[in-house]
Amino acid sequence: MAAGSSAPELVTAFLGVFITKGDIGISTILGSAIYNLLGICAACGLLSNVVSTLSCWPLFRDCAAYAISVAAVLGIIFDNQVHWYEGILLLLIYGLYVLVLCFDIKINQYIIKKCSPCCTRLAKAMEERSEQEPLMGWEDEGRPFIRRQSRTDSGIFHEDSGYSQLSISLHGLNQVSEDPPSVFKMPEADFKRIFWVLSLPIITLLFLTTPDCRRKFWKKYFAITFLMSALWISAFTYILVWMVTITGETLEIPDTVMGLTLLAAGTSIPDTITSVLVARKGKGDMAMSNIVGSNVFDMLCLGVPWFIKTAFINTSAPVEVNSRGLPYITISLNISIIFLFLAVHFNGWKLDRKLGVVCLILYFGLATLSVLYELGIIGNNKITGCGG
């Protein structure tokens, strides 16, 4: 989920290094990281109609990996230059993170065994969780959830809408007994008909190029579906970056500000949809792991375009990172990850509306401070135009 939904951020990183040659790629990733941590967490809490119970270990594991990745990126961009060996370092850290995930169950059992005697609350929570959920199962259909609103609510995140089918391949979240309705079937509501007609060219193009693995005939071709989806997301992201870059240059808005605001929210739409979908299924751990895991992927995979350019394309010069505000933004990410962990802890390890409201307020606060710093209103930061 993290790799697939983070394709836009990876594309913007390549665009920033090879095409725009500015900070729009890294600022988009750093800005979307703040949005992912707090904005998407707020969306999961506010838009989910269930209260999800969170586990300590997955969140602690991902937060620790994210803190390490943030520290690594901060150390690399501190001198405004990136060399080839620094790009390799980020990739090695990500490889180590994946290796830890391969032995996640054993590490989890070892830590619980060591920490349980000195932390009775943790031991009690793990015992209650093991009684409520089967060890290898992802969903207990008979388990009651705390509903906060009607199941008939409207919107893109409706449980019975076609968008919810995005998550059917994720560990048996939903079992589909028959093929979904055709995408060419006109909706009954007037507003949905207008939207359907306007989007029909894109629907047709995606239908012809991307196998619908929800259907029985294409079920075995899910890998092709994943690849084509990532490619189309990348193509749409290229258009988004191009339009935002032109807009920012015309209005003389710094590229880092554009990356922190419009691009950050725009490129994180896949993360938002997937996280809210699984949160509405009561899978709070899965939603939080996707949120933090996407940030780990985004931060460490910055090393891919940096390494390619410094090792194969322009070996005589490092990649220049021009914005002096980026270290400040990176430090704010550490503050946000600490706050998120503490907020979840003091909220009783629950993903609910209260946590969503608090995360939303903090997100707007950090984003506002970052934008003001980049504009030079606070601090002593020189303003540069988009692409300048």
Side-chain angles (χ1 to χ4, degrees):
M1 286 177 61
S5 59
S6 295
E9 284 86 349
L10 185 59
V11 172
T12 53
F14 273 93
L15 294 178
V17 172
F18 294 103
I19 297 180
T20 63
K21 295 180 175 62
D23 301 327
I24 196 168
I26 185 172
S27 63
T28 299
I29 288 180
L30 293 175
S32 63
I34 298 177
Y35 176 82
N36 285 353
L37 284 176
L38 302 175
I40 299 181
C41 185
C44 291
L46 296 175
L47 298 178
S48 177
N49 53 355
V50 301
V51 177
S52 303
T53 302
L54 302 177
S55 300
C56 178
W57 165 246
L59 184 61
F60 174 79
R61 175 201 64 203
D62 295 332
C63 287
Y66 177 63
I68 294 174
S69 63
V70 168
V73 173
L74 177 60
I76 288 175
I77 68 176
F78 187 76
D79 58 352
N80 295 331
Q81 292 183 343
V82 181
H83 299 83
W84 64 269
Y85 52 85
E86 294 173 326
I88 291 181
L89 177 62
L90 292 181
L91 297 180
L92 290 177
I93 295 176
Y94 186 74
L96 180 63
Y97 174 63
V98 175
L99 183 63
V100 171
L101 293 179
C102 294
F103 300 95
D104 180 70
I105 296 179
K106 294 182 179 179
I107 297 175
N108 184 15
Q109 293 175 347
Y110 176 80
I111 293 180
I112 294 300
K113 182 179 179 181
K114 293 295 183 180
C115 295
S116 294
C118 60
C119 185
T120 57
R121 181 178 179 181
L122 177 61
K124 183 178 179 181
M126 293 302 299
E127 182 179 357
E128 292 177 354
R129 188 170 184 85
S130 63
E131 293 177 356
Q132 292 176 354
E133 297 181 355
L135 179 60
M136 300 303 293
W138 283 84
E139 183 170 15
D140 184 1
E141 297 293 342
R143 181 183 176 184
F145 290 114
I146 304 175
R147 300 284 175 178
R148 287 202 309 261
Q149 59 187 34
S150 173
R151 290 173 59 93
T152 59
D153 57 342
S154 60
I156 190 174
F157 302 112
H158 193 282
E159 289 185 2
D160 299 326
S161 66
Y163 294 96
S164 66
Q165 298 298 327
L166 288 171
S167 60
I168 63 173
S169 61
L170 302 176
H171 296 282
L173 282 178
N174 196 3
Q175 299 295 331
V176 179
S177 58
E178 57 183 10
D179 288 343
S182 175
V183 294
F184 296 105
K185 183 179 179 181
M186 182 176 292
E188 297 180 358
D190 294 336
F191 178 77
K192 291 183 178 180
R193 284 186 177 184
I194 297 175
F195 182 78
W196 180 83
V197 171
L198 294 176
S199 59
L200 186 59
I202 297 179
I203 292 176
T204 304
L205 183 61
L206 296 179
F207 178 80
L208 295 176
T209 56
T210 307
D212 190 351
C213 61
R214 299 173 300 174
R215 302 182 182 277
K216 296 180 180 179
F217 181 80
W218 297 105
K219 187 176 181 181
K220 297 181 180 179
Y221 299 94
F222 61 90
I224 299 178
T225 302
F226 176 83
L227 178 62
M228 292 304 301
S229 299
L231 290 177
W232 275 117
I233 290 176
S234 303
F236 294 144
T237 304
Y238 177 83
I239 298 175
L240 174 65
V241 173
W242 172 69
M243 295 177 66
V244 171
T245 303
I246 297 300
T247 303
E249 186 175 355
T250 303
L251 300 177
E252 297 183 354
I253 301 176
D255 51 2
T256 47
V257 174
M258 301 299 289
L260 282 168
T261 54
L262 295 179
L263 281 178
T267 55
S268 297
I269 289 177
D271 291 309
T272 305
I273 294 178
T274 53
S275 296
V276 173
L277 285 176
V278 295
R280 289 178 64 88
K281 295 291 183 180
K283 304 300 174 185
D285 286 335
M286 195 173 188
M288 296 300 294
S289 293
N290 179 53
I291 292 172
V292 186
S294 296
N295 289 352
V296 175
F297 179 87
D298 296 340
M299 299 291 287
L300 297 181
C301 284
L302 278 170
V304 176
W306 287 344
F307 173 72
I308 293 177
K309 184 171 183 178
T310 54
F312 300 103
I313 298 179
N314 188 9
T315 58
S316 59
V319 176
E320 297 290 337
V321 182
N322 300 316
S323 175
R324 289 180 293 176
L326 292 179
Y328 165 79
I329 301 169
T330 310
I331 294 174
S332 68
L333 295 181
N334 272 328
I335 297 176
S336 61
I337 196 67
I338 294 174
F339 173 83
L340 178 63
F341 189 85
L342 293 178
V344 171
H345 176 73
F346 289 112
N347 197 44
W349 293 94
K350 293 182 297 183
L351 180 60
D352 55 7
R353 181 166 297 178
K354 185 192 303 182
L355 180 64
V357 171
V358 174
C359 290
L360 184 63
I361 295 175
L362 184 70
Y363 167 69
F364 279 118
L366 288 177
T368 301
L369 290 176
S370 300
V371 170
L372 292 177
Y373 185 88
E374 289 295 335
L375 291 176
I377 298 177
I378 60 176
N380 186 22
N381 189 33
K382 183 180 179 181
I383 301 178
T384 56
C386 191

